[in-house]
Amino acid sequence: MSEVSETTPQPVQAPHPGGPAPHPGAPHQAVPAPHQGPDAVPAPGAPGSFPAPYPPFGGGAPGFPEAAVAPGFPEAAQPGRTPLAPPAPQGPFAPQPPHIASVPQTAEAGQPGPGPQTAPGSQAAPGPLAAPGPQTAPDAPGPQAAHAAPAPAPQGTQGGTQGASAPSAPQGAQAATGLPRTLQYRFDGPEDAPVLVIGPSLGTTWHMWDRQIPELSQHWRIFRYDLPGHGGAPAHAAASVAELGDRLLATLDGLGVQRFGYAGCSIGGAVGADLALRHPHRVASLALVASSPRFGTADEFRQRGVIVRTNGLEPMARTAPERWFTPGFAAAQPAIVEWAVQMVRTTDPGCYIAACEALAAFDIRGALGRIGVPTLVLVGAEDQVTGPAEARTLVAGIPDARLALVPGASHLAPVEQPAAVSDLLLMHFSTAWQQDTSAAIPVLPHITAPAAPSTPFVPVAEIAPAVSAPDAVAPTPDDRYEQGTKVRREVLGDAHVDAVNDTADAFTEDFQELVTRYAWGEVWSRDGLDRRTRSVITLTALVTSGHLEGLAAHTRAALRNGLTPAEIKEVLLQTAVYCGIPAAGAAFAVAQKVIQEETTPPA
């Protein structure tokens, strides 16, 4: 049974008329990297692992194109293959109360939600893939139901179907502030099974996990979500990975889901790691797919935001196949490559830029030791974005982590090697759920008084609740330097600040500290003006004073702070009137070179 957080009821795609459709990709393998200790993940086919080959995915899943069979991949499942049944969940993995999807979320009376309509086998505009065939009628029957996130109508789940009912009163902070507090989502799998949350990569939708769902949903209730502005989700940008995690928890809270397993790819993995750090009592087991404790450099992601702001998402869509897939897969599966490109093209640019900024600021390298849940770190052996080196950093830092390398896969390993990824996730979560014996966090919305157990239960491995962070306070004089360093790096970039620091010596270091503490820690950190406005003022002041030696750095900063090349041109034209033609002419030459460097898409 499944349900969708979109705006109209959707039918479930009928099974493939000719039986199960085969997987795309190379022959199924998943060879974990060597890992000391008894918890190392074995390769499929090794003792204690899943039988091979993994049964092919049956029928085209919604939003995922039918793919040709790659040479060497089994045409059909072996008839004797019996899927591994995970042990009965215990403790925090005890089944959730049925009908958890019937908890209503906010909706304005008479107003449809903003989510997309979906045609069978694809995702229609404004989602990433518009497939041929008619769109589903709003009253079409079927077991999938429509939720609009952040403001869907409530769903019923009786008899295997869901129907919209009258909207209820707004909930919590969403009603009080009107701010987006939830995410677009869908459920698949039995209503009484434990919940497994699955998060997407930047530029993709929940459909990137379509080929894992038939196997995983036999054992768990799969909750998938879309990032803001992805897959037709409302374009309410999130400023940080932590904010994405907060919105996810708000969505799950509204559905009565308190404890869950979590698997996420790339930025979806970052969300899972952040939740495991800030809300350890909510996450029971974790899988980080193609993820990293720090994604590249902050400069790289901020420049990517500049490119998208200037050129739109076409440059990112054009280069997505080489980042996401191995060359052999891209050549053999053009339909899947085009599907991936369309996902990027139809993403909201503002939300994509905000996600880039969130990744630029994400860095948990120093906190990995505090992740206290069983963790699988899964990476494609040929991933050039967050490859095996980043995966080994995660495994080295997380106390209870195991590493699995998937041969023949790049960044989107769940798409490129679906059988291997499904096997590894099934193995990890089955084992983790069997071993976890900590007390469940009950879902009791109408508790009148606390009930004390007659016999205290002492869990084997209790996970301590998250420690509440103190309220933020204004920086004191002692931390102006730290604040200034942070803001200076965010505005001017790590490369610029590192170069300045490298050239500082005993004669200049006090001056650099003065600049960092007062210019960046006090003035640039004030709330009175946003950074765009401060960049406009700074550009004007530099041209007026003739200090063009700093204009290149601040032109680059202006682009990162949200100014477009057209707006920078208008600023310089204004300075020509009030500061003189020669000064503005020299400034145009400097700014032109920087803008060309920063906004030219990758080849």
Side-chain angles (χ1 to χ4, degrees), residues 57-142:
F57 179 69
F64 203 99
E66 285 294 336
V69 181
F73 202 83
E75 291 287 334
Q78 291 183 351
R81 201 272 196 186
T82 303
L84 176 67
Q90 302 177 10
F93 303 97
Q96 300 285 338
H99 314 313
I100 61 174
S102 64
V103 177
Q105 296 190 7
T106 311
E108 294 184 13
Q111 296 296 326
Q117 290 185 341
T118 304
S122 70
Q123 184 167 358
L129 184 63
Q135 290 187 340
T136 305
D139 57 352

Side-chain angles (χ1 to χ4, degrees), residues 130-189:
Q135 290 187 340
T136 305
D139 57 352
Q144 294 186 352
H147 299 273
Q155 310 303 316
T157 57
Q158 301 293 338
T161 61
Q162 288 85 31
S165 59
S168 64
Q171 61 179 10
Q174 188 174 2
T177 65
L179 296 176
R181 290 294 310 277
T182 56
L183 298 173
Q184 178 169 283
Y185 69 94
R186 67 172 287 159
F187 273 117
D188 296 277

